[in-house]
Amino acid sequence: MTRGSVDHNFLFTLGELYRLLRVYADKEASRFGITRAQWAVLAKVERSEGMKQSELAELLEMQPITLTRLIDKLCDSDWIERRSDASDRRVKRLYLKKAGRQLLGKMSGLKSELTANALDGISPADAHRLVTQLESIKENVRNAIQASGAEQARKEQRYG
């Protein structure tokens, strides 16, 4: 593949892959009566119980109002609960409930199933290489964003 071909296809291919993976994960998560977004919230809460809603919104790159609606549904389903922070009663911290743990236990193989299907026909060595390369790309983009922000700040100081 030539550089021009990569320039033409790279972002579109990644975007389309991300969209298809979201659709696939939503479809498969629905077998458990849950959406992909709800699953993501449950999984993050499980990994970091007691986190603030605002921290979770930032971590998931989600608008706080959108996350609040998701959490409302998860609370209504008895999968998570909000608890007031001991030092600041305005802050709500999130915890899994027993039913949420049970649901995640039932879903534990789903992530592996989705990954196996997505990587079907790709050798384990190539899959590991792909993940390593994607991590490098992610770091490159993160660095480019930081550099762009620093450049913007310099321009604002100069012309501001």
Side-chain angles (χ1 to χ4, degrees), residues 18 22 26 29 33-45 53-54 56-82 94-97 100 103:
Y18 179 65
R22 285 190 348 245
D26 259 327
I34 193 168
T35 66
R36 174 191 44 83
Q38 291 170 331
W39 182 18
V41 170
L42 286 175
K44 294 289 185 190
V45 170
Q53 281 187 215
S54 59
L56 183 58
E58 188 175 312
L59 190 63
L60 293 172
E61 297 179 355
M62 192 177 284
Q63 292 297 316
I65 189 66
T66 304
L67 179 62
T68 297
R69 289 183 189 126
L70 273 172
I71 291 171
D72 287 345
K73 289 178 183 177
L74 293 169
C75 286
D76 290 346
S77 297
D78 210 31
W79 291 328
I80 64 171
E81 66 179 324
R82 293 179 177 105
L94 302 170
Y95 296 87
L96 273 183
K97 295 187 83 175
L103 175 63

Side-chain angles (χ1 to χ4, degrees), residues 143-160:
N143 290 339
I145 290 168
Q146 289 173 347
S148 176
E151 178 62 24
Q152 184 64 33
R154 282 192 295 277
K155 284 180 182 178
E156 288 174 4
Q157 284 179 343
R158 210 174 314 144
Y159 302 112

Side-chain angles (χ1 to χ4, degrees), residues 45-137:
V45 170
E46 180 184 43
R47 280 188 222 118
S48 302
E49 280 199 273
M51 73 170 26
K52 297 183 218 176
Q53 281 187 215
S54 59
E55 293 168 337
L56 183 58
E58 188 175 312
L59 190 63
L60 293 172
E61 297 179 355
M62 192 177 284
Q63 292 297 316
I65 189 66
T66 304
L67 179 62
T68 297
R69 289 183 189 126
L70 273 172
I71 291 171
D72 287 345
K73 289 178 183 177
L74 293 169
C75 286
D76 290 346
S77 297
D78 210 31
W79 291 328
I80 64 171
E81 66 179 324
R82 293 179 177 105
R83 296 181 196 163
S84 294
D85 183 270
S87 61
D88 186 347
R89 298 187 69 69
R90 296 170 297 173
V91 172
K92 299 296 181 189
R93 297 198 174 266
L94 302 170
Y95 296 87
L96 273 183
K97 295 187 83 175
K98 184 178 179 181
R101 285 187 204 292
Q102 290 171 339
L103 175 63
L104 285 174
K106 289 179 196 170
M107 296 180 74
S108 65
L110 184 56
K111 185 167 68 169
S112 295
E113 180 185 327
L114 296 174
T115 301
N117 288 334
L119 295 175
D120 186 39
I122 297 173
S123 74
D126 285 345
H128 285 289
R129 195 170 15 266
L130 173 63
V131 171
T132 300
Q133 291 169 336
L134 288 171
E135 288 293 338
S136 294
I137 292 168

